[in-house]
Amino acid sequence: MELINGRPTDTTGRLPKELRVYDFLDALEITYQRVDHEPAMTMEACVEIDKAMGTTMCKNLLLCNRQKTNFYLLLMPGEKVFQTKELSAQLGVSRLSFAPAEPMEEFLDITPGSLSVLGLMNDKEKKVRLIIDSPVLNDEYIGVHPCINTSSLKLKTADLIDKIIPAMGHEPTIVHLP
């Protein structure tokens, strides 16, 4: 895996949703690096990609309430085990569970296995609330998919928090998970 600066020069075979991510980041004048790879379907594959990029793995989970009326995108360190009870208590929401694939596609234009904070750029109606576990903010860089799991981007965490998320119009809620 080769770390490449910026967007691909040859966009043959790239999906429009991936190209929209590059357009979005370029419009914000965000510096980023990219690694192209086989589809990352397991945490083990993500660990290898993160090693190549020099980032710490971040889990991205789409959650919902029991009625499937409220949706949450949780960013948390890859090594942590997700504990529903703890997050539910901090958010004041009863019983969170994993959301089905349909809302992920409908609100974020992302298929399972490609979930990324960058999908929030497609959430124009603000249907998904962004939740960040505080240790994610401690690293200088973060790795994210450009709405497809055959590439990964290395972004400065400060750029994500200070420029990208505000440009998407989402206000993150910071939590402290055990």
Side-chain angles (χ1 to χ4, degrees), residues 86-175:
E86 188 65 37
L87 181 59
S88 295
Q90 288 190 42
L91 296 178
V93 176
S94 63
R95 203 148 169 251
L96 288 173
S97 63
F98 293 103
E102 293 80 14
M104 190 181 305
E105 294 175 28
E106 179 183 348
F107 303 143
L108 305 176
D109 193 19
I110 294 180
T111 54
S114 301
L115 187 58
S116 166
V117 65
L118 295 176
L120 292 173
M121 66 182 267
N122 300 313
D123 182 24
K124 304 296 185 201
E125 296 180 26
K126 311 298 183 259
K127 298 279 189 176
V128 180
R129 181 175 167 193
L130 177 59
I131 311 298
I132 303 175
D133 187 14
S134 59
V136 169
L137 304 174
N138 296 338
D139 292 321
E140 183 178 1
Y141 293 97
I142 187 168
V144 299
H145 289 308
C147 296
I148 190 74
N149 67 353
T150 53
S151 292
S152 295
L153 306 180
K154 178 179 181 177
L155 301 170
K156 286 186 177 179
T157 304
D159 284 344
L160 178 68
I161 298 303
D162 298 337
K163 298 175 183 176
I164 298 169
I165 292 172
M168 294 187 292
H170 283 73
E171 181 70 34
T173 299
I174 309 301
V175 295

Side-chain angles (χ1 to χ4, degrees), residues 74-90:
L74 172 63
L75 308 183
M76 64 183 287
E79 75 279 356
K80 274 193 181 180
V81 176
F82 173 60
Q83 297 178 0
T84 305
K85 182 179 177 183
E86 188 65 37
L87 181 59
S88 295
Q90 288 190 42

